[in-house]
């Protein structure tokens, strides 16, 4: 009986490995994980308002429109003050929240300064401070709802000084 079982297994193995027809197998696309943010929906919504305000301010500065820049800076003050830092997830010590609040305060203060300036170059300097604070805020809270880039302009101030902004 053992001899018959061994012979049957050997015949099966030879058939399977040497005589079986090879059919191409279509690969199924890999499944992608759902895009779930690391932060709460409430935080993300308040952060997106801040980002949209920033993008409006950036556009106004790029267009040399000081009136629109002042209006966008006013919005940035409101959005920075209403950033829901208590909704940040994964902050067991509270350090991320405190750091985020400090960056939001810097954004708000620089936006106030921008509104108070009459000269476009001085407004740009305040915008540069807002950009750096927002960049650090993005990194601190690990914002993950959209791709953001930290872009460099080597001639932002009269073709002599560089600056960075977010896009």
């Amino acid at each position: 009986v053992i001899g018959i079982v061994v012979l049957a297994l050997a015949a099966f193995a030879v058939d399977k490995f040497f005589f079986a027809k090879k059919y191409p197998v279509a690969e199924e696309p890999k499944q992608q994980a759902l895009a779930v943010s690391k932060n709460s929906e409430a935080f993300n919504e308040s952060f997106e308002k801040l980002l949209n305000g920033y993008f409006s301010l950036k556009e106004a500065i790029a267009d040399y429109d000081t009136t629109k820049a002042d209006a966008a800076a006013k919005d940035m003050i409101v959005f920075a003050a209403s950033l829901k830092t208590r909704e940040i997830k994964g902050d067991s010590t509270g350090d991320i929240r405190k750091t985020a609040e400090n960056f939001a305060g810097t954004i708000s203060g620089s936006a106030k300064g921008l509104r108070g300036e009459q000269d476009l170059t001085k407004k740009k300097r305040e915008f540069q401070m807002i950009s750096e604070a927002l960049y650090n805020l993005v990194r601190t809270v690990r914002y993950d709802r959209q791709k953001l880039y930290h872009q460099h302009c080597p001639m932002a101030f009269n073709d002599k000084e560089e600056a960075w902004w977010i896009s």
Side-chain angles (χ1 to χ4, degrees):
V1 173
I2 294 177
I4 294 174
V5 171
V6 171
L7 189 57
L9 285 174
F12 175 75
V14 168
D15 182 58
K16 187 73 172 167
F17 293 113
F18 294 110
F19 299 109
K21 291 185 181 178
K22 306 277 188 208
Y23 295 103
V25 177
E27 287 188 34
E28 291 184 30
K30 292 183 180 179
Q31 293 183 353
Q32 299 293 323
L34 293 176
V36 176
S37 178
K38 294 177 183 123
N39 289 307
S40 72
E41 189 64 28
F43 173 79
N44 284 328
E45 285 177 9
S46 68
F47 197 84
E48 286 167 5
K49 286 180 183 177
L50 182 64
L51 277 177
N52 289 334
Y54 173 82
F55 294 140
S56 294
L57 178 57
K58 180 178 78 164
E59 186 177 311
I61 293 288
D63 290 343
Y64 300 95
D65 190 335
T66 57
T67 304
K68 283 184 182 177
D70 288 344
K74 182 179 178 183
D75 290 341
M76 288 284 296
I77 294 166
V78 172
F79 298 144
S82 62
L83 187 63
K84 297 186 190 265
T85 56
R86 294 203 181 272
E87 297 289 329
I88 295 172
K89 290 183 179 177
D91 185 17
S92 59
T93 63
D95 290 340
I96 295 172
R97 180 184 51 81
K98 289 175 190 170
T99 304
E101 287 172 354
N102 286 336
F103 286 129
T106 300
I107 291 167
S108 180
S110 291
K112 288 175 185 173
L114 188 147
R115 288 190 72 213
E117 294 294 345
Q118 299 301 315
D119 181 54
L120 183 62
T121 301
K122 291 179 180 176
K123 284 184 183 295
K124 284 182 178 181
R125 294 224 183 263
E126 291 294 342
F127 177 71
Q128 180 182 10
M129 291 174 62
I130 292 168
S131 296
E132 287 306 306
L134 185 59
Y135 173 70
N136 289 320
L137 179 60
V138 166
R139 292 177 35 202
T140 298
V141 301
R142 295 184 177 145
Y143 180 72
D144 58 0
R145 296 280 292 268
Q146 59 182 302
K147 270 192 180 177
L148 299 172
Y149 297 93
H150 195 218
Q151 291 191 310
H152 178 248
C153 179
M155 302 175 291
F157 297 102
N158 299 321
D159 297 338
K160 296 177 185 174
E161 292 179 58
E162 67 182 10
W164 295 82
W165 68 90
I166 297 172
S167 64

